[in-house]
Amino acid sequence: MEVNFDFVKNSSFKEAFPTAEKIHKLYTIDDYRDVISNSRLLLESLIKKIFKLENLSPYYTVHDGEHRNLRNNTHYLRNELDYPLSIMDLFDEIRRMGNAAVHDNQIEPDQKQAWHCICDLHDILVFLINSYDGQDLYYLRPDIAMEAQTDEDHYYVRQNKQPKTMKLHDHQNTKKKQSVSAPKKAKHVKHFSSKQHIEQTNSASQTKTTPSTKDNWLRKIKELFHHDQLC
């Protein structure tokens, strides 16, 4: 499979093309560490672009002792934008792989890792251009293509539609509520099953038709008394 970033040239993300093309060339000369580290740098510039497109403040609130870095920027986008979760996962993969390539010299990235990083970058760019430019480009991963193209809450031309107010954590809460209520329904059905009703009916009928022990003794005494009179 071959990756080509020419689709970025004439898009609203065209400033990313030189770096994307450089990353591809680094891969062809087996410079896998620089492939991953430069992918991380390109991701940083893409996130800054997204902040501008979505009118998000780069000076968002952070916890005491923390800084506005790539990790916190990515988490901030997760909360503020309703991108597909699979796309945001690609952001995190490039960030983690880039951190390892830049800060840990004992780790030597291989061809497989570099290729995975390029594919992540490719599908991120495809999603952004499809969403903001109204294109219909192809993804490398079928699962990401399916989620991005069939989820109407996430996939649309953003400049022509109003953004959704629902956040990512709202989707997760909805799924949890559904999973909790399901066992209760199953228990309710089991408790009022037709089998139990039949058993209760049979038990009641047996109670009515079967004579009690006291009645049996009275009947036997009468028979014995009647026998004595005959004798």
Side-chain angles (χ1 to χ4, degrees):
M1 183 183 297
E2 181 67 22
V3 172
N4 192 319
F5 288 102
D6 288 344
F7 66 92
V8 184
K9 283 183 181 179
N10 299 318
S11 70
S12 58
F13 292 84
K14 58 186 177 182
E15 64 273 11
F17 174 72
T19 306
E21 186 69 7
K22 174 185 176 182
I23 292 170
H24 182 260
K25 290 180 179 179
L26 288 170
Y27 179 80
T28 60
I29 63 173
D30 303 336
D31 192 352
Y32 303 133
R33 183 182 296 277
D34 283 343
V35 166
I36 298 175
S37 61
N38 280 274
S39 296
R40 184 187 185 281
L41 292 175
L42 181 54
L43 179 65
E44 289 182 345
S45 64
L46 290 175
I47 288 179
K48 290 179 181 179
K49 173 85 171 182
I50 294 170
F51 267 77
K52 292 181 180 179
L53 290 172
E54 297 289 345
N55 295 318
L56 298 176
S57 173
Y59 306 107
Y60 58 88
T61 304
V62 295
H63 296 292
D64 293 340
E66 293 190 4
H67 304 281
R68 297 180 187 90
N69 49 27
L70 181 57
R71 176 179 177 275
N72 284 332
N73 288 346
T74 305
H75 289 176
Y76 181 68
L77 291 183
R78 278 184 180 268
N79 292 326
E80 294 299 317
L81 304 179
D82 46 2
Y83 283 2
L85 294 176
S86 58
I87 296 296
M88 296 308 304
D89 288 343
L90 300 186
F91 281 56
D92 287 332
E93 280 187 351
I94 293 179
R95 175 181 58 82
R96 288 192 293 265
M97 293 174 69
N99 288 343
V102 172
H103 301 297
D104 195 343
N105 293 327
Q106 295 181 353
I107 297 178
E108 188 63 36
D110 57 19
Q111 182 182 13
K112 183 178 179 180
Q113 293 171 327
W115 175 253
H116 189 85
C117 191
I118 288 179
C119 291
D120 285 355
L121 183 61
H122 176 277
D123 283 351
I124 287 174
L125 286 167
V126 167
F127 170 78
L128 294 176
I129 294 173
N130 283 353
S131 295
Y132 291 93
D133 294 353
Q135 299 297 317
D136 192 20
L137 304 172
Y138 290 100
Y139 295 83
L140 293 178
R141 294 171 178 78
D143 56 328
I144 292 176
M146 182 174 295
E147 181 178 358
Q149 293 177 349
T150 59
D151 193 338
E152 295 180 357
D153 291 336
H154 297 137
Y155 183 77
Y156 56 90
V157 182
R158 294 177 173 271
Q159 60 187 3
N160 294 332
K161 293 188 178 182
Q162 295 296 325
K164 303 283 184 178
T165 56
M166 185 176 288
K167 302 296 189 298
L168 292 176
H169 55 80
D170 294 327
H171 293 285
Q172 296 172 355
N173 289 341
T174 302
K175 292 180 180 178
K176 289 180 180 179
K177 290 180 180 179
Q178 292 176 351
S179 63
V180 172
S181 61
K184 292 183 179 179
K185 184 177 180 181
K187 183 178 180 180
H188 180 79
V189 173
K190 182 178 180 181
H191 182 72
F192 293 99
S193 66
S194 59
K195 180 179 179 181
Q196 183 180 7
H197 177 72
I198 294 173
E199 290 176 352
Q200 290 176 349
T201 304
N202 293 338
S203 176
S205 62
Q206 290 175 2
T207 303
K208 292 180 180 180
T209 58
T210 304
S212 64
T213 305
K214 183 177 181 181
D215 292 338
N216 290 336
W217 277 105
L218 289 174
R219 182 174 55 81
K220 291 181 178 180
I221 292 173
K222 288 180 179 180
E223 290 177 355
L224 180 63
F225 180 76
H226 179 68
H227 178 73
D228 291 340
Q229 287 179 343
L230 293 176
C231 295

